[in-house]
Amino acid sequence: MYAHATHPRPLRFFVWSSVFALCCTAAQAQKALVGEPIEPLPDVSAWRLDPQKVKLGEKLFFDARLSKDNSVMCASCHMATKGGADGAKTSTGIRGQLGPINAPTVFNSALNFRQFWDGRANTLQEQASGVVHNPKEFDSNWPQVVSKLNADASMVQAFKALYADGISSENILDAIATYERTLLTPSRFDRYLKGDANAITADERKGYQLFKNYGCVACHQGANVGGNMFQKFGVLGDYFGDRKDLTEADMGRYNVTKREADRHMFKVPTLRNIELTAPYFHDASAATLDEAVNTMFKYQLGRPASDEDKKYIILFLKSLTGEQFERQP
Amino acid sequence: MNKLLRALPSLLVALLLVGILAALVYMNRSVDASDRVQANDLVRELKQLDALWGLDVLRSKNELNKNYDPISDPLARLREVQATLDVLADKAGRASMEKSLKALQESLAEKSDLVDAFKAQNSVLKNSLRYLPTAEQELRSLIAEAHASGAHASAELDALGQVANDLLVLVLRYNNSADADLKGLIEDKLNRLRAMQPTLAPPFADQSALLITHAQAVLTQKTSEDQVLGQIAASPSGERINALGRAFDESFNARLKQSNQWRIALIAYAAFLLLFLMYLGVRLFRSYRLLHRAKRSLEQANETLEARVMQRTHDLSSAMRRLEESHIQLVQAEKMASLGQMVAGVAHEINTPLAYVKNSLEVVASRIPDVQSLVQSSSELTQQMARNDASQEDLARSFGQLQEIASAFEETQAVDELHGLIQDGMHGIDHISEIVLNLKNFSRLDRAKMDHFNVNEGLESTLKIAQGTIKRRVVHKRFEPVPAIECAPSQINQVFLNLINNACHATAEDGGEITIATHVLPQAAGVKIEIADNGRGIPLEFHQKVFDPFFTTKPTGEGTGLGLSIVQRIVKEHGGSIHLASRVGVGTLFGITLPLRQQQPQPTGDDLPALPPAAAAAAPPPPPQEQP
């Protein structure tokens, strides 16, 4: 499986670098936290992504030609300045149409086990393709997009250089997905998990402890602090009964499987960069983190918590913000 | 185009043969051992993934896995492997693979849903299980507080505490072993708690409500979790992966079998093609050999032909040489014959004057004794007279003798006769010298070979030379004054002589008439000479032949047959032309035109030397002709 396995020199390099890495890991072993339900982000470089494809994918991410009237691009709803989402309750697609659901962040989305709130896309490619075809989002189709890009000599050249068959839907999606895989946001908390005890404050540490103790971590776990399971919104309380005015989007995964058990089932979202991606929940019902945490305690944990504890938890949640965003202000 | 049409059938056959070969090769190619290896590897990996996945679910259930990544992450790889297997199934034969592939996909999708359900339940279960003791603890604390503050309904609170505690114990026990009896007991406790609720004070009611919620949650989630886990454990995915592996095996084996058949077909076909090629090769070889043989015989024929041509050429050239030699000899003979004729003529011509010169001299010689006696008599008289001693008698006798002789002389006019005889002799000698002069003129040996020449004069000279031949035949001369032409006079004279001789030979000595005419050609381009006779004429069939060498109508030995051919050649070499008009019994006319000036290099004169005069007859013959 390893491309370099057939070449003696890279293999030797690999072996030695592995030995080196092992030694380093051994030295750090006493520091790195073991058995935590949250794991640090993987190293993107280990995925050996083609930097040219990443570059092309980034270009396409910002290319409005993917939409029917060249008015919307991926970046329209997934802005780096808004934590990889758009800050709106629901996103505005083509011709000013409002979408039915709150846009999830693109950051760390490569770690999600499925895409979209209802998990209807298995891969990043399927997700992007879904957006291109959605009449409320890009309202386009691949022949249209491919022909538009084919009219651009620089695009044709860029694709030709990377893909034998030039511009095609598969290749466009592959480039975009490759780019999206690079959008990981290591945080101070990751450094903490890796053994840097001082990477987060004592309050944040306390928040993390409460996060675990209250059981938030039962769903928001793994490398992406969520994103690897479905959970019923209102599992311990009747959220939708209290909220009223159900929409189709509120049916969650039921829309995909049509199984009664999947009613109101949603993909547990990542909590990384949660500080930046208000409003919260698929229906953007929580404008602030406080509200969101309250809702979670009420309907998901089904237990009370002190305001102080919630405050600590929120402090912890903010430590999950990617360090590249923390430096900005 | 035609060639193409003719080659079309063979081209089509060749294309067909190659097409069949390509098809067979393709049929063989479609089975790839690496596909089978890859399919095997993937099936094995799938099996491992699936087994590990199930194991990780159990580990998650037992909280050995601290998060759900281990049971979520395999999804991507599972999908990839399935997609690759789907592609491989196409190669292995979609029809036989479809069922087991679908079955596996279904079971894996089902399992995936079960795992998703497990995660949702397990997370809630874990939380509720963790929270239940806390909730119960808090309830008990509330009750203790109430007791401490001397609450009114302590019995009821004690019962609440007891039920809550029982519930907690039962739920925890149920979590360890979920059996129906425990479930019944828990539901019993839950019902009691719910029954107590309306009468409880708010903090107790709220807290016990939490207890109810979470106990209920554990009960529900645990039940369905066990169910889900059971379903996961019972998932036929592993079996179906095995079935898929078997299906791949079978399909590949079938393919292999089919491919073996195709390979046999290919081998057979290749053998057939090879035989066909060999057949073609043999045919090609044969035709090549045939061709080679034909070529060799052709080469041989060529070689012998060359030899034969060389032989023939050699023969021809030697014949030619002999012909040339004989031609030269014949020309020489003709020359000698002409010479002979001319010499005969000239001899005759000279003979006549010579005869009367001789006669005159004989007569003169016969008179010499008379002259001698006259001279003697006169001499005796003079001597007697001079001596003075001579008698008168003697004197008188001598005088008388002298007188007698002198008178005899006078009587016979002897002196006049002698004078006449000498005159005659002189005339004969003059005649002879004239003939010699004409001979010289004719041959022109004393002059340059190319000269300006008046054909009239030439004709006159020739006529003189030919006098011996002409004899009594009448010659009409109709000469126009003509300009001198540029030519080799001796050769032209030979032409004239030959034609005049021919005319003589064609006519009888008596009554034969020869007409010779000369004209000036229009614009003074040259001269025309016509020599006609009233002889027997030449039959029409001989008109073309008369100029051929060796053609003659004369009896053998009289003519060489070269005369006219020589004439024609001389005329042509001078750039002139000769033509003939003749009618049997009427006569023959030869017309010759000669240009005024010569344009080409003149005939050297070596080709056909002029008829040599008698004086040159002894000279060595001219060198042989170099050109045929």
Side-chain angles (χ1 to χ4, degrees):
Chain A
M1 289 305 117
Y2 299 103
H4 54 251
T6 52
H7 305 294
R9 191 175 291 180
L11 180 63
R12 207 178 308 144
F13 171 77
F14 175 75
V15 167
W16 282 113
S17 57
S18 304
V19 167
F20 177 74
L22 274 171
C23 293
C24 293
T25 324
Q28 271 193 334
Q30 60 199 65
K31 284 186 182 175
L33 303 184
V34 180
E36 290 299 321
I38 298 176
E39 287 175 24
L41 282 173
D43 184 5
V44 182
S45 65
W47 292 342
R48 298 167 180 277
L49 302 172
D50 182 341
Q52 292 306 116
K53 284 186 184 175
V54 171
K55 221 169 144 186
L56 178 62
E58 182 177 11
K59 250 186 180 170
L60 290 165
F61 196 82
F62 290 87
D63 198 323
R65 284 174 292 191
L66 265 60
S67 63
K68 188 179 187 177
D69 60 2
N70 305 334
S71 64
V72 202
M73 57 180 96
C74 302
S76 303
C77 301
H78 300 289
M79 301 180 244
T81 51
K82 307 267 181 184
D86 60 1
K89 281 197 159 198
T90 65
S91 299
T92 306
I94 196 165
R95 296 181 293 271
Q97 294 181 94
L98 285 177
I101 209 156
N102 181 253
T105 176
V106 72
F107 287 118
N108 310 302
S109 59
L111 301 178
N112 289 341
F113 80 136
R114 289 187 176 91
Q115 307 298 337
F116 292 125
W117 280 102
D118 55 12
R120 64 179 181 273
N122 281 325
T123 60
L124 289 171
Q125 283 93 325
E126 280 180 42
Q127 187 274 337
S129 188
V131 172
V132 168
H133 287 91
N134 192 323
K136 285 186 168 180
E137 291 174 348
F138 287 2
D139 192 22
S140 186
N141 54 63
W142 287 122
Q144 209 175 74
V145 173
V146 168
S147 78
K148 274 199 265 183
L149 292 184
N150 263 324
D152 181 345
S154 67
M155 268 294 170
V156 171
Q157 205 181 350
F159 270 92
K160 272 275 176 238
L162 293 170
Y163 301 97
D165 53 345
I167 298 178
S168 71
S169 58
E170 286 83 5
N171 298 342
I172 293 168
L173 290 172
D174 181 70
I176 292 175
T178 305
Y179 166 64
E180 286 173 344
R181 276 186 241 283
T182 65
L183 302 178
L184 301 190
T185 60
S187 61
R188 287 186 291 114
F189 186 69
D190 287 298
R191 284 200 278 126
Y192 168 72
L193 288 177
K194 284 177 174 175
D196 183 354
N198 298 322
I200 58 174
T201 63
D203 286 351
E204 287 164 342
R205 237 179 353 253
K206 190 177 177 188
Y208 176 47
Q209 203 51 53
L210 289 168
F211 185 81
K212 288 197 281 188
N213 289 347
Y214 275 109
C216 312
V217 83
C219 292
H220 296 284
Q221 31 66 46
N224 206 13
V225 201
N228 62 359
M229 62 180 286
F230 295 114
Q231 187 52 277
K232 186 175 184 168
F233 200 3
V235 68
L236 291 175
D238 190 0
Y239 172 79
F240 292 103
D242 293 346
R243 204 205 71 193
K244 310 265 181 346
D245 301 325
L246 262 66
T247 65
E248 197 189 348
D250 290 331
M251 300 308 278
R253 188 151 175 77
Y254 174 85
N255 291 330
V256 182
T257 66
K258 303 290 174 198
R259 272 192 303 239
E260 203 46 56
D262 285 329
R263 188 183 290 269
H264 306 316
M265 282 285 225
F266 293 88
K267 184 185 71 188
V268 174
T270 175
L271 293 185
R272 289 181 178 275
N273 305 306
I274 196 72
E275 177 188 5
L276 308 173
T277 57
Y280 303 106
F281 308 132
H282 74 281
D283 54 4
S285 58
T288 64
L289 264 181
D290 284 336
E291 285 177 51
V293 169
N294 281 334
T295 303
M296 284 289 108
F297 267 101
K298 186 172 181 190
Y299 295 104
Q300 300 306 111
L301 294 172
R303 59 188 285 187
S306 67
D307 287 345
E308 200 186 358
D309 285 353
K310 289 177 188 167
K311 191 192 83 192
Y312 283 120
I313 287 172
I314 289 169
L315 281 175
F316 156 68
L317 291 178
K318 289 181 177 177
S319 78
L320 291 170
T321 301
E323 287 193 272
Q324 68 250 55
F325 307 118
E326 286 193 325
R327 282 187 215 109
Q328 277 175 355
Chain B
M1 193 62 209
N2 225 358
K3 235 178 183 174
L4 203 75
L5 268 173
R6 241 183 300 133
L8 202 63
S10 5
L11 204 74
L12 283 176
V13 168
L15 270 177
L16 186 73
L17 290 173
V18 171
I20 292 171
L21 187 69
L24 282 172
V25 168
Y26 176 79
M27 294 314 284
N28 268 280
R29 182 203 61 97
S30 59
V31 175
D32 192 348
S34 71
D35 286 348
R36 186 176 195 161
V37 171
Q38 197 191 357
N40 265 330
D41 286 352
L42 287 174
V43 167
R44 210 175 305 134
E45 187 189 346
L46 199 60
K47 214 170 157 183
Q48 206 173 359
L49 274 172
D50 182 59
L52 276 175
W53 199 21
L55 198 66
D56 270 316
V57 169
L58 290 179
R59 285 168 62 86
S60 293
K61 191 227 168 221
N62 294 318
E63 292 196 53
L64 290 169
N65 286 334
K66 297 294 177 188
N67 56 47
Y68 298 125
D69 281 352
I71 54 173
S72 306
D73 292 344
L75 277 177
R77 183 61 193 156
L78 279 168
R79 275 194 297 264
E80 269 174 37
V81 171
Q82 282 183 87
T84 316
L85 281 173
D86 199 56
V87 172
L88 285 171
D90 279 337
K91 292 187 180 175
R94 164 64 63 177
S96 58
M97 299 298 305
E98 187 74 22
K99 211 175 134 194
S100 45
L101 205 64
K102 264 263 159 60
L104 175 64
Q105 278 165 358
E106 271 170 23
S107 71
L108 283 177
E110 213 170 279
K111 193 165 176 177
S112 170
D113 287 342
L114 288 171
V115 171
D116 284 346
F118 164 77
K119 285 184 279 190
Q121 290 157 0
N122 183 253
S123 53
V124 175
L125 182 60
K126 272 196 296 194
N127 276 350
S128 293
L129 277 173
R130 183 184 290 123
Y131 178 59
L132 266 177
T134 312
E136 193 264 352
Q137 183 69 45
E138 279 173 3
L139 184 63
R140 270 199 292 165
S141 304
L142 280 174
I143 292 168
E145 271 174 41
H147 279 304
S149 62
H152 45 285
S154 62
E156 196 189 5
L157 286 178
D158 283 343
L160 177 67
Q162 192 56 52
V163 171
N165 190 254
D166 289 351
L167 183 66
L168 175 67
V169 171
L170 284 170
V171 166
L172 291 178
R173 272 178 62 195
Y174 182 77
N175 184 49
N176 283 334
S177 65
D179 65 50
D181 291 347
L182 275 176
K183 195 180 174 187
L185 287 174
I186 290 167
E187 276 169 351
D188 196 39
K189 299 289 177 199
L190 280 172
N191 285 336
R192 280 191 61 189
L193 265 182
R194 286 195 190 102
M196 292 167 112
Q197 283 252 311
T199 55
L200 288 174
F204 300 104
D206 288 353
Q207 195 58 37
S208 60
L210 286 173
L211 210 60
I212 292 167
T213 304
H214 287 276
Q216 185 65 53
V218 170
L219 201 62
T220 315
Q221 304 295 351
K222 175 66 184 170
T223 311
S224 67
E225 188 192 83
D226 282 353
Q227 212 177 342
V228 164
L229 285 173
Q231 281 175 325
I232 289 174
S235 167
S237 58
E239 209 175 291
R240 289 190 179 168
I241 291 167
N242 285 339
L244 183 71
R246 280 196 302 276
F248 264 113
D249 270 348
E250 278 164 24
S251 190
F252 275 122
N253 279 338
R255 272 285 158 114
L256 205 66
K257 208 166 152 191
Q258 203 178 16
S259 136
N260 274 338
Q261 282 166 353
W262 280 118
R263 191 171 309 149
I264 289 165
L266 180 67
I267 289 166
Y269 184 70
F272 159 72
L273 269 188
L274 206 67
L275 282 173
F276 184 65
L277 277 175
M278 267 166 65
Y279 165 72
L280 282 182
V282 165
R283 273 194 60 176
L284 206 72
F285 178 70
R286 269 193 199 155
S287 54
Y288 171 76
R289 219 169 45 181
L290 217 72
L291 224 78
H292 185 70
R293 220 181 289 154
K295 189 184 158 226
R296 220 169 42 195
S297 61
L298 212 71
E299 273 173 3
Q300 270 176 353
N302 202 15
E303 276 167 26
T304 52
L305 190 72
E306 250 170 58
R308 262 156 64 191
V309 165
M310 266 163 69
Q311 180 64 36
R312 292 276 159 82
T313 312
H314 181 73
D315 291 353
L316 270 171
S317 57
S318 61
M320 196 66 199
R321 212 165 42 241
R322 280 201 300 277
L323 198 69
E324 276 166 13
E325 278 165 15
S326 56
H327 185 237
I328 291 160
Q329 282 168 2
L330 275 166
V331 167
Q332 199 60 30
E334 166 71 17
K335 275 184 215 162
M336 295 311 285
S338 302
L339 195 63
Q341 280 177 2
M342 196 177 69
V343 166
V346 168
H348 179 82
E349 281 296 306
I350 292 173
N351 210 30
T352 312
L354 207 59
Y356 61 79
V357 169
K358 189 187 172 187
N359 286 341
S360 307
L361 284 175
E362 273 171 356
V363 173
V364 169
S366 68
R367 290 290 183 269
I368 288 299
D370 292 340
V371 176
Q372 206 173 354
S373 60
L374 180 65
V375 170
Q376 203 176 340
S377 299
S378 58
S379 146
E380 273 172 22
L381 184 63
T382 27
Q383 276 170 7
Q384 281 164 2
M385 279 166 45
R387 270 179 326 210
N388 287 331
D389 59 341
S391 64
Q392 213 53 49
E393 203 179 315
D394 287 345
L395 272 172
R397 196 186 19 112
S398 295
F399 189 74
Q401 269 184 321
L402 186 61
Q403 212 168 18
E404 198 178 328
I405 294 165
S407 64
F409 261 91
E410 275 174 15
E411 278 172 16
T412 58
Q413 291 176 320
V415 175
D416 286 347
E417 195 192 350
L418 277 174
H419 190 256
L421 284 168
I422 288 165
Q423 281 295 313
D424 277 358
M426 287 301 286
H427 184 258
I429 287 163
D430 279 350
H431 197 167
I432 289 166
S433 79
E434 190 190 358
I435 286 168
V436 170
L437 182 73
N438 274 331
L439 210 57
K440 267 171 80 182
N441 273 349
F442 181 84
S443 68
R444 287 286 181 96
L445 274 182
D446 54 336
R447 295 167 80 168
K449 278 176 180 160
M450 191 55 65
D451 209 344
H452 291 284
F453 177 69
N454 190 312
V455 291
N456 288 349
E457 289 170 13
L459 283 164
E460 291 285 7
S461 289
T462 308
L463 281 171
K464 289 253 169 58
I465 296 292
Q467 195 53 55
T469 318
I470 296 167
K471 292 179 179 149
R472 287 192 303 279
R473 294 176 182 88
V474 181
V475 175
H476 304 286
K477 288 188 277 191
R478 289 174 193 154
F479 293 168
E480 273 181 26
V482 289
I485 61 163
E486 209 174 54
C487 67
S490 63
Q491 290 187 7
I492 299 300
N493 279 338
Q494 190 181 354
V495 169
F496 295 157
L497 183 65
N498 275 0
L499 291 176
I500 290 166
N501 277 342
N502 281 354
C504 291
H505 292 147
T507 52
E509 207 173 317
D510 294 307
E513 285 180 24
I514 297 168
T515 308
I516 301 173
T518 58
H519 310 282
V520 181
L521 286 178
Q523 285 145 18
V527 294
K528 186 175 183 183
I529 303 106
E530 284 173 335
I531 297 169
D533 63 62
N534 60 346
R536 45 185 183 269
I538 301 167
L540 198 64
E541 62 263 36
F542 296 151
H543 280 204
Q544 290 303 315
K545 288 184 177 176
V546 289
F547 295 109
D548 293 349
F550 312 117
F551 177 82
T552 180
T553 53
K554 291 170 189 170
T556 317
E558 274 189 32
T560 59
L562 285 172
L564 278 176
S565 81
I566 289 167
V567 163
Q568 189 188 35
R569 206 162 131 191
I570 290 170
V571 170
K572 281 194 175 163
E573 277 173 2
H574 278 82
S577 65
I578 182 164
H579 69 270
L580 143 79
S582 180
R583 189 178 278 182
V584 176
V586 176
T588 302
L589 180 143
F590 280 97
I592 297 168
T593 58
L594 288 169
L596 201 63
R597 296 274 173 269
Q598 294 295 316
Q599 286 163 348
Q600 295 156 344
Q602 289 313 299
T604 57
D606 288 344
D607 297 4
L608 276 173
L611 283 176
Q625 292 162 299
E626 283 171 15
Q627 288 177 317

